């Protein structure tokens, strides 16, 4: 029983890692541009297909993990310059436009790869036994990679001048312009970085799921919950939100059943919002 | 001959005003907040703009920084026309402004706010090359001393007193070593003691930075101004040294309602 719980905790933390990477992009884009990016799930999905492509061409999974943020970041670059920039002052229009961009990405993937499902081979199958418990190696790696990215990001945000600027802009975009910061440039950087993170998350997740054009949607809803629970303003909040949503979903799904788990996590998010509208960690 | 020409050029360059606006107007519907304003600010001085509420003083600052676009007219900054430039580009040229309402980043620390003033206008690429970190910056440390905020360097800006926040904002504006500093009512909401302290602080801090101050408090203005412009209904109605303005009958009638300056 203990062994099962420990294994499920690793599973929960690996889901949490993925959700945190997706939520980071959502939060930065929302915080800086005021745009709720409904195409984010499809950028995540595009990251998975970047791995399908790279693995197909080179036979190497890790090449796909490197290529995904670059490819998806480039998509983000085009979307920001071509669509989002022109609509940002109109929230409802950006919502519709990003929804449309998502559909375009999904249909584009169907055109290029077909509508069928793909499987990405796990590059590190097998488990490590620590005491009586066997942990899947790939999931442990996933958690470690996310933790390193978060640690690097935290150091950048809190120890460097560009990081300080980003925090300042997240607090008040208008004031930041008075300090000489080009808001258009900052928006572009935020959107590209947010998209690249979604692509990376998709690439890392690809061996753990069946890859299909519609795979992103379910993660988008959960990632929004992470942002809602964690708040837009803080990195630590997003980590906490990710652990609560990802961990809660996995554990409840294992011990109860997946449908009840989804509902339970949703209820939890609503309850948290009722008592802490700014997020749990404000 | 060549020498003479060179001297002439240098003296011309010195005479170019820090700020020069020509026929500047801002209309909101039928109302002119600023109407055909002509104003010249010589470099290196403290130039105060006074006038009753609604005289167009703050709107004038909005036009100089392009927070609002001018309806018509030209703005020259050290001889360069900047009329169409967006706000962030003007900040990068060296125009710093302290707004009437606090515009600090409330969740950042006092030191981080000052550091933002220093690096905010730098481009992303030059920032990536910087190795210094906000907490260990010499210029930040010096400014904290001058603002008498050294003990508060790690506090959130939101936790400072009202007067301290106003001073911090002036400090933030000066961190970029601006060529033109615009202060919008720096003593608003301050006690008499804080106002006096602000006058001392400004004298010490601004040095030979060209400073334009919009202010209601006349005793404060008389203490710090080299030149005073009186605005009324969007126009400049009088300009001169503080003693000249104090004796100007028109100013007393129009603006002060016969109250002695």
């Amino acid at each position: 029983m203990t062994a099962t719980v420990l294994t499920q905790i690793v599973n929960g933390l690996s889901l949490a890692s993925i959700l945190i990477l997706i939520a980071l992009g959502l939060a930065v884009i929302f915080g800086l541009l005021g745009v709720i990016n409904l195409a984010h799930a499809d950028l995540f999905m595009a990251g998975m297909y970047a791995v399908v492509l790279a693995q197909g061409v080179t036979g190497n999974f890790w090449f796909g993990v490197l290529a995904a943020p670059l490819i998806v970041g480039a998509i983000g670059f085009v979307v920001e310059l071509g669509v989002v920039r022109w609509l940002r002052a109109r929230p409802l229009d950006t919502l519709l436009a990003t929804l449309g961009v998502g559909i375009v990405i999904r249909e584009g993937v169907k055109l290029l790869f077909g509508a069928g499902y793909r499987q990405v081979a796990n590059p590190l199958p097998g488990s490590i036994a620590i005491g009586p418990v066997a942990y899947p190696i790939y999931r442990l790696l996933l958690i470690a990679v996310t933790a390193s990215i978060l640690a690097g990001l935290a150091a950048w945000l809190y120890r460097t001048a560009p990081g300080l600027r980003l925090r300042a802009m997240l607090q008040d975009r208008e004031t930041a312009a008075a300090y000489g910061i080009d808001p258009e440039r900052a928006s572009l950087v935020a959107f590209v970085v947010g998209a690249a993170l979604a692509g990376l998350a998709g690439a890392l997740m690809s061996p753990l799921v069946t890859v299909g054009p519609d795979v992103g949607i379910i993660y988008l809803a959960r990632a929004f919950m992470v942002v809602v629970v964690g708040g837009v303003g803080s990195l630590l909040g997003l980590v906490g939100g990710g652990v609560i949503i990802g961990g809660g979903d996995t554990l409840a799904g294992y011990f109860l059943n997946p449908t009840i788990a989804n509902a339970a996590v949703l209820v939890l998010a609503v309850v948290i919002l009722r008592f802490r509208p700014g997020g749990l960690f404000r | 001959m060549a020498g003479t020409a060179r001297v002439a050029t240098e003296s011309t360059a010195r005479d170019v005003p820090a700020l020069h606006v020509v026929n500047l107007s801002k209309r909101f519907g039928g109302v002119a907040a600023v109407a055909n304003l002509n104003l010249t600010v010589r470099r290196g001085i403290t130039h105060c703009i006074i006038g009753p509420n609604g005289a167009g003083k703050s709107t004038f600052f909005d036009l100089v920084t392009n927070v609002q676009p001018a309806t018509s007219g030209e703005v020259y900054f050290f001889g360069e026309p900047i009329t169409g430039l967006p706000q962030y580009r003007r900040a990068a040229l060296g125009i710093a402004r302290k707004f009437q309402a606090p515009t600090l980043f409330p969740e950042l620390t006092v030191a981080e706010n000052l550091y933002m003033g220093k690096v905010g206008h730098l481009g992303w690429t030059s920032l990536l090359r910087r190795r210094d970190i906000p907490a260990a910056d010499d210029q930040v440390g010096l400014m904290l001393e001058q603002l008498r905020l050294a003990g508060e360097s790690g506090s959130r800006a939101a936790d400072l007193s009202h007067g301290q926040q106003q001073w911090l904002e002036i400090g933030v504006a000066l961190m970029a070593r601006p060529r033109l500093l615009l202060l919008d009512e720096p003593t608003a909401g301050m006690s008499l003691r804080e106002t006096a302290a602000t006058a001392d602080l400004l004298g010490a801090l601004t040095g030979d930075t060209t400073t334009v101050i919009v202010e209601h408090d006349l005793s404060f203005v008389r203490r710090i101004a080299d030149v005073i412009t009186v605005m009324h209904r969007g126009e400049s109605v009088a300009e001169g040294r503080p003693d000249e303005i104090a004796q100007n009958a028109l100013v007393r009638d129009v603006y002060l309602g016969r109250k002695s300056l």
Side-chain angles (χ1 to χ4, degrees), chain A residues 156 158-169 171-183 185-186 189, chain B residues 87-88 91-92 99 103-108 112-113 115-117 119-124 127-128 130 132-134 172:
Chain A
W156 182 77
Y158 291 96
R159 305 299 298 271
T160 73
L164 175 64
R165 254 157 74 119
L166 182 65
R167 283 189 291 141
M169 271 184 289
Q171 273 184 45
D172 191 336
R173 196 184 147 86
E174 313 250 310
T175 300
Y179 281 63
I181 297 172
D182 178 356
R185 176 74 63 84
V189 170
Chain B
Q87 184 188 9
Y88 78 93
F99 287 82
T103 48
L104 297 164
F105 297 104
E107 301 292 325
L108 298 185
E112 284 174 338
N113 269 286
Y115 196 74
M116 274 301 294
V119 302
H121 63 290
L122 299 177
W124 285 98
L127 281 180
L128 292 174
R130 289 186 86 90
D132 50 350
I133 57 169
V172 166

Side-chain angles (χ1 to χ4, degrees), chain B:
Chain B
M1 274 312 277
T4 322
R6 188 152 165 247
V7 169
T9 316
E10 271 179 11
S11 101
T12 315
R14 255 200 305 277
D15 292 343
V16 169
L19 181 69
H20 181 51
V21 305
V22 183
N23 289 330
L24 196 64
S25 294
K26 177 65 183 179
R27 288 190 189 79
F28 299 99
V31 186
V34 171
N36 292 319
L37 180 69
N38 290 289
L39 188 78
T40 301
V41 177
R42 285 186 281 123
R43 60 176 67 185
I45 66 164
T46 297
H47 191 134
C48 289
I49 300 178
I50 61 174
N53 275 327
K57 308 185 298 291
S58 293
T59 308
F60 168 66
F61 272 6
D62 282 353
L63 301 183
V64 172
T65 50
N66 207 6
V67 169
Q68 304 183 48
T71 311
S72 60
E74 304 289 329
V75 182
Y76 296 91
F77 180 60
F78 286 89
E80 300 285 324
I82 59 165
T83 308
L85 284 187
Q87 184 188 9
Y88 78 93
R89 290 277 305 278
R90 296 189 189 200
L93 276 180
I95 300 180
R97 176 184 186 180
K98 186 201 116 20
F99 287 82
Q100 201 170 333
T103 48
L104 297 164
F105 297 104
E107 301 292 325
L108 298 185
T109 67
V110 172
E112 284 174 338
N113 269 286
L114 286 173
Y115 196 74
M116 274 301 294
K118 179 177 178 179
V119 302
H121 63 290
L122 299 177
W124 285 98
T125 43
S126 68
L127 281 180
L128 292 174
R129 285 201 300 273
R130 289 186 86 90
R131 303 182 69 87
D132 50 350
I133 57 169
D137 188 84
D138 288 344
Q139 204 186 329
V140 169
L142 189 66
M143 185 59 78
L144 283 169
E145 293 288 332
Q146 287 181 303
L147 295 172
R148 297 169 212 145
L149 288 174
E152 315 287 335
S153 101
S155 313
R156 293 186 323 148
D159 295 338
L160 295 181
S161 74
H162 173 75
Q164 287 175 320
Q165 288 191 9
Q166 300 279 335
W167 295 336
L168 177 58
E169 281 204 60
I170 296 169
V172 166
L174 282 167
M175 284 297 289
R177 302 190 195 283
R179 293 200 285 163
L180 176 64
L181 175 64
L182 308 175
L183 300 178
D184 201 341
E185 298 199 17
T187 67
M190 281 189 183
S191 66
L192 280 175
R193 218 165 45 121
E194 284 176 322
T195 302
T198 305
D200 294 342
L201 200 66
L202 273 178
L205 279 176
T206 56
D208 53 5
T209 307
T210 311
T211 308
V212 182
I213 302 177
V214 160
E215 187 51 74
H216 276 300
D217 188 325
L218 296 174
S219 62
F220 173 77
V221 166
R222 282 214 297 182
R223 263 182 84 173
I224 59 168
D226 296 309
V227 176
I228 296 176
T229 296
V230 183
M231 276 184 81
H232 185 57
R233 292 183 184 153
E235 292 176 79
S236 161
V237 293
E239 184 173 299
R241 293 192 309 272
D243 53 324
E244 292 169 344
I245 293 297
Q247 285 155 16
N248 185 316
L250 176 77
V251 172
R252 261 183 278 175
D253 288 351
V254 166
Y255 165 50
L256 297 172
R258 291 174 212 289
K259 198 176 83 184
S260 162
L261 190 75

Side-chain angles (χ1 to χ4, degrees), chain A:
Chain A
M1 184 62 192
T2 324
T4 321
V5 173
L6 287 172
T7 311
Q8 287 308 314
I9 286 176
V10 169
N11 287 348
L13 285 179
S14 59
L15 175 61
S17 302
I18 292 298
L19 293 181
I20 289 166
L21 289 179
I22 304 175
L24 260 178
L26 276 178
V28 168
I29 290 170
F30 180 71
L32 224 54
L33 286 78
V35 167
I36 294 174
N37 181 26
L38 289 181
H40 217 68
D42 299 292
L43 295 171
F44 170 71
M45 175 273 290
M48 295 189 177
Y49 276 93
V51 172
V52 170
L53 182 70
Q55 214 173 28
V57 174
T58 65
N60 189 336
F61 170 81
W62 302 109
F63 185 74
V65 171
L66 289 179
L70 298 178
I71 294 173
V72 180
I75 297 175
F77 183 84
V78 173
V79 171
E80 206 281 338
L81 275 185
V83 181
V84 174
R85 170 155 304 192
W86 310 98
L87 299 172
R88 204 174 48 231
R90 315 205 292 265
L92 196 59
D93 294 358
T94 50
L95 213 59
L96 285 174
T98 55
L99 186 69
V101 165
I103 294 172
V104 169
I105 294 173
R106 226 172 307 151
E107 295 305 316
V109 163
K110 281 184 197 167
L111 273 177
L112 289 172
F113 296 91
Y117 290 97
R118 304 292 190 100
Q119 204 68 49
V120 171
N122 189 335
L124 295 170
S127 331
I128 298 180
I130 301 173
V133 190
Y135 297 102
I137 298 174
Y138 184 77
R139 283 180 184 271
L140 289 177
L141 180 83
L142 191 67
I143 296 166
V145 167
T146 306
S148 325
I149 290 174
L150 290 175
L153 199 62
W156 182 77
L157 272 176
Y158 291 96
R159 305 299 298 271
T160 73
L164 175 64
R165 254 157 74 119
L166 182 65
R167 283 189 291 141
M169 271 184 289
L170 281 170
Q171 273 184 45
D172 191 336
R173 196 184 147 86
E174 313 250 310
T175 300
Y179 281 63
I181 297 172
D182 178 356
E184 300 291 324
R185 176 74 63 84
S187 300
L188 182 60
V189 170
F191 205 90
V192 169
V193 170
L197 280 170
L200 180 65
L204 290 172
M205 193 64 178
S206 61
L208 300 177
V209 295
T210 307
V211 178
D214 300 317
V215 71
I217 306 299
I218 183 169
Y219 292 94
L220 181 70
R222 289 173 178 161
F224 269 123
M225 288 302 157
V226 172
V227 177
V228 162
V229 170
V232 175
S234 97
L235 195 58
L236 207 62
L238 287 183
V239 173
V243 170
I244 289 173
I245 301 296
D249 197 283
T250 304
L251 290 179
Y254 185 79
F255 291 107
L256 305 169
N257 75 54
T259 313
I260 294 179
N262 280 336
V265 168
L266 198 66
V267 169
L268 183 67
V270 170
V271 170
I272 288 172
L273 267 188
R274 165 64 184 80
F275 293 102
R276 302 296 297 266
L280 203 53
F281 301 88
R282 284 242 121 173

